[in-house]
Amino acid sequence: MLLLTAADVAQCLPMPDAIAILREAFAGWQAGKGRMPQRVQLDMPDGQGITLCMPAFLQGSHAARTAVKVVSVYPSNRSRDLPALHGLVLLLESETGRLLAGMEGGAVTAIRTGAVSGLAMDLLARQDAQRVALFGVGVQARTTLEAVCVVRAISLVKIFGPTPRNVDTFITEMAPKLPEVELQAADTPRSAMAGSDIVCTATTSATPVFLPEHVEPGMHINAVGVFEPRKRELPGETVVRSRFYVDDVAAALEEAGDLMVPLNAGLVSAAHIAGTLGQLALGEVAGRRTQTEITIFKSVGLAIQDVAAADAVYARALATGMGQEVNL
């Protein structure tokens, strides 16, 4: 089995490649080329964290692969100077069940979630979108920002977070990676949103991070931060006004608080879902219809993303001689 570190994963899966790989993966999933049970979620007794088990099978363009990810999410780890997310992805040969690789799951999760954000923005945001409001300054915010800059010619990003010092650190770290983009700290959610074309939320907030009146015509909103039915980053009124897309309907109706909270309040029904990312990738549903329409993509994260990403990492590692072979 080949063991791959977080640095190995990052080197083997650059963001432009990751976006293209997930476009194919979602199209394949929509076409019935995969299997994915609902993930198992184990909540810790003290409420400080959760552990997830996420298996899936996907028939890719060159091979059939199975992957299982075990990932823990502990938002309070930031106070301990520890990552909020720890994980491991195991990649298996589907024909035999043979273990092919084990790789650091935090990097896989961050890159593939950033990539799905980039894919959604490419399919739904206005072609002339240049200005971004970014909520969150964690690992996921970093890869989301990287992805949006791949699919659109971004000139300005305004970043809001509850701790100004963390926002400043984020800007200091990201500025050298995006030299053509102006990064600004926003002092309020309203100032972050004002004049923006794309809004990205990558937080662990249980309540909306902006107000309905902050949303302007023509915005595209990507919500990728939370995946629990009682937590939401978006106001219900904004969901009602939007053309709303998800990564997977069944998963969204189980886990997407951004949809379930307004649904349970009677503000929308399941029919409010305009389509999935796979349907968009295959052209089975329409995306943005006007320049002034508000579009939303809500992601809870799918195991098929891990399969596709892990398979690509493994193939690149074999080709470049990266990783460490171990016998179990």
Side-chain angles (χ1 to χ4, degrees):
M1 182 176 74
L2 188 65
L3 287 180
L4 296 158
T5 66
D8 295 334
V9 170
Q11 189 167 338
C12 289
L13 195 60
M15 187 57 70
D17 292 354
I19 294 171
I21 287 161
L22 287 190
R23 185 185 298 266
E24 178 185 339
F26 274 96
W29 171 244
Q30 180 63 29
K33 296 181 180 179
R35 298 187 67 186
M36 182 181 64
Q38 191 72 25
R39 60 183 162 201
V40 176
Q41 178 171 319
L42 178 64
D43 297 285
M44 294 298 102
D46 57 7
Q48 293 299 305
I50 59 175
T51 297
L52 307 169
C53 181
M54 302 171 60
F57 160 84
L58 186 65
Q59 175 64 61
S61 58
H62 68 281
R65 294 289 189 242
T66 301
V68 180
K69 181 171 76 175
V70 177
V71 59
S72 63
V73 183
Y74 282 67
S76 60
N77 274 0
R78 296 187 182 93
S79 65
R80 306 181 178 100
D81 290 326
L82 291 172
L85 188 149
H86 296 272
L88 176 69
V89 178
L90 296 175
L91 182 69
L92 293 81
E93 186 178 62
S94 295
E95 293 84 356
T96 65
R98 179 171 63 100
L99 278 171
L100 299 175
M103 58 193 74
E104 200 277 326
V108 173
T109 301
I111 295 169
R112 60 83 148 155
T113 306
V116 79
S117 297
L119 176 58
M121 287 182 277
D122 194 32
L123 293 167
L124 292 170
R126 300 196 324 266
Q127 290 297 317
D128 63 352
Q130 296 183 348
R131 296 160 297 181
V132 177
L134 177 62
F135 290 83
V137 293
V139 172
Q140 203 54 72
R142 286 165 166 77
T143 57
T144 296
L145 176 56
E146 183 182 353
V148 70
C149 292
V150 169
V151 301
R152 291 292 185 271
I154 302 301
S155 60
L156 172 65
V157 180
K158 293 182 288 184
I159 303 116
F160 178 80
T163 307
R165 177 172 53 85
N166 293 343
V167 175
D168 292 340
T169 299
F170 179 92
I171 291 173
T172 299
E173 292 176 356
M174 294 301 297
K177 301 177 182 180
L178 302 168
E180 304 300 319
V181 181
E182 182 181 356
L183 304 179
Q184 292 182 0
D187 55 1
T188 65
R190 181 184 290 276
S191 64
M193 299 278 281
S196 294
D197 307 307
I198 295 173
V199 179
C200 299
T201 64
T203 76
T204 58
S205 178
T207 56
V209 297
F210 56 81
L211 297 177
E213 54 265 34
H214 298 162
V215 179
E216 299 176 4
M219 281 181 166
H220 170 68
I221 302 171
N222 258 39
V224 303
V226 293
F227 51 88
E228 296 177 67
R230 291 177 296 278
K231 293 183 178 181
R232 56 177 176 152
E233 297 177 291
L234 311 182
E237 296 92 330
T238 301
V239 172
V240 172
R241 291 175 59 196
S242 74
R243 189 164 171 83
F244 194 88
Y245 299 85
V246 298
D247 44 10
D248 180 75
V249 172
L253 291 173
E254 285 283 334
E255 300 177 336
D258 288 298
L259 175 63
M260 295 181 66
V261 172
L263 190 152
N264 291 334
L267 299 178
V268 297
S269 70
H272 190 63
I273 299 173
T276 67
L277 210 52
Q279 289 175 314
L280 283 167
L282 290 175
E284 294 180 355
V285 298
R288 171 176 295 277
R289 298 169 298 184
T290 70
Q291 289 291 90
T292 58
E293 189 169 45
I294 296 166
T295 55
I296 292 177
F297 170 67
K298 172 59 190 174
S299 173
V300 295
L302 303 180
I304 59 159
Q305 297 168 238
D306 299 314
V307 179
D311 186 36
V313 169
Y314 177 66
R316 181 72 61 86
L318 288 182
T320 57
M322 297 187 68
Q324 180 182 355
E325 285 283 354
V326 297
N327 292 317
L328 297 179

